[in-house]
Amino acid sequence: MPPPPEPMPGYGELLRRGYGSLAAAARSCGDCGWELALRTWAENAHLGWAEVLLCGLCALGWTALRRACSRRLFRPFGEWCQLQPKDAAKMPESAWKLLFYSVSWSYGAYLLFCTDYPFFHDPPSVFYGWQRGMAVPGDIAVAYLLQGSFYGHSLYATAYMDTWRKDSLVMLLHHLVTLTLLASSYAFRYHNVGVLVLFLHDVNDVQLEFTKLNVYFKHRGGVYHRLNDVVSNIGCLAFSVSWFWFRLYWFPLKVLYATCHSSLQSVPNIPFYFFFNALLLVLTLMNIYWFLYIVLFVAKVLLGQMQEVNDVREYDVEESRKPGKEAGIQLPQALKEGLHLKNGLVKDKRL
């Protein structure tokens, strides 16, 4: 029987305990060398080649599905709506991401709120009953297959399919860290933590892509559509608030507290403790990095430097016209002609 849940202390106390446990474990580590890491991996990791191959095939499937959706659905719909060329070039990317993240977040919400898993309301329970090589429940295994294969696809998509933005290198690092966390947490059977992490992150991607689509659709057919403008403003406000709440408040409160502190209470000799918590802390730093972009956007709006909702991460036409800019990002003509911007180079809209 799992131990009864302990009363949840305050937010500051949770962080103090979590980081205190991390420091105490670091001081007590006698043999943290490479040989110990290899031995710990061999003794605790359970990840078969068949599972890796299946995930790789699904990643290729996501790439093929995105190509088919863009060619047969998203681009024809953008042409039918008579979007502006620069918006028509970026719309398929946002539509594809909105489609996936809506499905993945809905499935994560189903696992956390429509089943018997208590992870959201009782974060320490993610480690109750943990055993080396324990069976992964089928519904959680499906979530891992979908997310792991999608982030494998996203590594390629960010470099060669998506619009290249100011934070694209950080986005590549994010996908790499996420994919490493997914594969490792599945192998070490920390899958309960993974469900919680994915749920807290996917909701913001849904809001972001939905808001961007409304920005693209507010000027279509040569006519301004006020409804899309209002929805994009509301979506931007909701996105800013939820980013702070889900990624900078709930993520440390629930995930980091459980992995840094509660994990040592349930499994005193938990394997790869530093490795997983280091990656989760890197993920936290990237969340803070992107939150700075949100603060920059709000500051520009309040100071009157931006009259409408726009993605401040993108290289826009006016910015690229300024003297002294790098040649690799001076692409106003490309944007005016609706060409796709990838890795600082001009390419057509074919994937």
Side-chain angles (χ1 to χ4, degrees):
M1 292 292 294
E6 60 184 55
M8 290 293 289
Y11 180 67
E13 177 64 17
L14 288 174
L15 290 181
R16 187 191 67 78
R17 288 189 188 179
Y19 293 122
S21 300
L22 188 65
R27 290 193 298 268
S28 63
C29 181
D31 180 12
C32 295
W34 181 249
E35 293 183 0
L36 175 63
L38 292 178
R39 187 169 66 251
T40 305
W41 176 270
E43 292 174 352
N44 296 275
H46 294 80
L47 184 63
W49 285 109
E51 295 166 315
V52 175
L53 179 61
L54 178 60
C55 186
L57 291 175
C58 290
L60 295 176
W62 286 122
T63 304
L65 181 61
R66 174 172 175 173
R67 167 184 282 186
C69 289
S70 296
R71 285 183 174 178
R72 305 296 182 183
L73 180 61
F74 301 143
R75 288 176 188 162
F77 183 70
E79 294 174 358
W80 181 75
C81 292
Q82 298 181 355
L83 297 181
Q84 298 183 30
K86 63 182 180 66
D87 295 332
K90 293 182 287 188
M91 186 272 288
E93 176 188 339
S94 291
W96 165 254
K97 291 181 179 179
L98 176 64
L99 177 62
F100 173 80
Y101 286 118
S102 297
V103 173
S104 64
W105 184 76
S106 299
Y107 188 62
Y110 162 77
L111 291 177
L112 290 176
F113 301 107
C114 300
T115 64
D116 296 329
Y117 299 127
F119 311 140
F120 185 82
H121 300 291
D122 183 20
S125 66
V126 296
F127 291 105
Y128 292 170
W130 178 89
Q131 292 179 357
R132 181 183 294 110
M134 60 188 294
V136 180
D139 48 5
I140 294 182
V142 170
Y144 261 74
L145 177 61
L146 293 177
Q147 294 277 1
S149 59
F150 182 80
Y151 278 100
H153 148 78
S154 297
L155 280 173
Y156 170 81
T158 301
Y160 297 105
M161 300 172 72
D162 296 347
T163 299
W164 191 256
R165 300 180 176 92
K166 299 173 184 177
D167 67 334
S168 290
L169 288 177
V170 179
M171 186 67 71
L172 284 171
L173 176 62
H174 170 270
H175 294 338
L176 183 61
V177 170
T178 304
L179 189 59
T180 304
L181 277 170
L182 284 168
S184 302
S185 62
Y186 182 88
F188 280 84
R189 301 306 189 249
Y190 301 148
H191 45 271
N192 297 338
V193 183
V195 173
L196 199 54
V197 173
L198 292 170
F199 169 78
L200 293 176
H201 282 72
D202 284 352
V203 60
N204 301 125
D205 293 296
V206 174
Q207 295 173 314
L208 174 63
E209 303 306 335
F210 177 75
T211 301
K212 290 169 68 175
L213 283 175
N214 277 278
V215 172
Y216 301 152
F217 277 88
K218 69 181 178 182
H219 294 289
R220 60 182 189 271
V223 179
Y224 165 76
H225 295 265
R226 182 173 179 78
L227 177 61
N228 292 106
D229 194 11
V230 172
V231 172
S232 66
N233 291 327
I234 296 175
C236 182
L237 177 62
F239 168 75
S240 304
V241 174
S242 69
W243 184 282
F244 174 83
W245 192 260
F246 279 81
R247 297 197 181 197
L248 300 183
Y249 179 73
W250 267 348
F251 182 73
L253 183 68
K254 296 179 179 294
V255 174
L256 294 183
Y257 171 72
T259 58
C260 293
H261 176 70
S262 301
S263 61
L264 295 176
Q265 308 302 313
S266 300
V267 189
N269 296 318
I270 187 168
F272 271 63
Y273 173 85
F274 295 105
F275 173 76
F276 285 105
N277 282 291
L279 289 181
L280 289 172
L281 290 174
V282 170
L283 198 59
T284 304
L285 291 176
M286 286 188 286
N287 289 336
I288 296 173
Y289 167 81
W290 278 307
F291 187 68
L292 296 179
Y293 273 108
I294 298 175
V295 173
L296 175 63
F297 166 80
V298 173
K300 285 188 174 183
V301 172
L302 294 178
L303 295 176
Q305 299 177 6
M306 182 178 293
Q307 302 300 321
E308 59 182 11
V309 174
N310 198 6
D311 194 340
V312 296
R313 303 171 302 156
E314 295 184 354
Y315 298 112
D316 54 38
V317 175
E318 295 302 324
E319 182 181 6
S320 61
R321 282 176 176 167
K322 294 179 181 179
K325 292 290 182 180
E326 297 288 340
I329 63 174
Q330 292 183 0
L331 296 166
Q333 191 63 31
L335 291 176
K336 287 193 295 184
E337 295 175 359
L339 300 178
H340 211 37
L341 175 62
K342 302 176 185 174
N343 299 336
L345 302 175
V346 178
K347 298 183 180 180
D348 60 24
K349 292 182 288 182
R350 292 178 296 176
L351 297 183

